[in-house]
Amino acid sequence: MPIPTGEQLQLIRLTEANLLGCLFLEGAAGNQDAIKEVYKIVKPEDFFGYTIDDRHKRIYEAMLKSSATDYITVATTMHENGTLLIDKTHYNDLSYMVSIVADVIGLDYEHYARQVAANAQEFLSGKQRGLKFKGGI
């Protein structure tokens, strides 16, 4: 499997964040079918483990367990599961979830789900899925 470059990792991160942001917006609009459709394409292990404490994977896993996919419900699920990181730095999960909603650049969650899955297929073997990438981003 090829190793993604720093630029590729940045695009992967943005794609994952945009997918999660889309799912938050769909959840806030009452569309709980979006997460079901995305799960047909993307599994938690398809997220690269380069974010702080596997943030994207943790958020996605909480979305799958939540009764709704708006960020308040997902944050509550993360808190109940002990996976929500809250501190006074910019790595705070709550602040991050708000920021990815604000930064959504496209609303086609199925498109971004296919991109996340394609990135995982290209760069992660079954054993590498969830591999932590240190630095470069």
Side-chain angles (χ1 to χ4, degrees):
M1 294 280 163
I3 297 173
T5 65
E7 293 83 9
Q8 288 169 319
L9 282 173
Q10 182 68 11
L11 290 172
I12 290 167
R13 182 189 69 78
L14 291 172
T15 301
E16 290 179 0
N18 203 78
L19 171 61
L20 296 173
C22 287
L23 290 172
F24 282 136
L25 291 173
E26 290 293 330
N31 180 3
Q32 298 311 311
D33 292 331
I35 188 69
K36 295 173 189 170
E37 291 300 314
V38 169
Y39 185 70
K40 293 176 186 176
I41 302 168
V42 176
K43 304 301 184 241
E45 60 270 15
D46 292 338
F47 287 87
F48 277 65
Y50 56 83
T51 58
I52 300 303
D53 296 298
D54 298 328
R55 181 177 280 161
H56 290 167
K57 181 179 177 184
R58 287 185 299 104
I59 291 170
Y60 186 67
E61 287 174 333
M63 286 178 166
L64 294 171
K65 295 174 184 175
S66 293
S67 60
T69 58
D70 62 277
Y71 74 85
I72 294 171
T73 305
V74 172
T76 300
T77 299
M78 291 175 76
H79 176 71
E80 291 169 354
N81 293 335
T83 60
L84 182 69
L85 297 180
I86 301 175
D87 59 28
K88 296 180 182 188
T89 71
H90 64 282
Y91 296 120
N92 180 318
D93 285 344
L94 295 173
S95 298
Y96 184 73
M97 287 188 268
V98 171
S99 74
I100 62 174
V101 169
D103 292 340
V104 168
I105 58 171
L107 297 175
D108 186 353
Y109 59 85
E110 289 177 350
H111 168 75
Y112 292 104
R114 287 189 298 273
Q115 283 190 305
V116 168
N119 289 337
Q121 181 70 30
E122 181 176 357
F123 294 113
L124 298 176
S125 69
K127 291 180 182 178
Q128 291 174 311
R129 290 194 173 173
L131 176 70
K132 292 181 187 268
F133 286 90
K134 302 289 185 192
I137 297 181

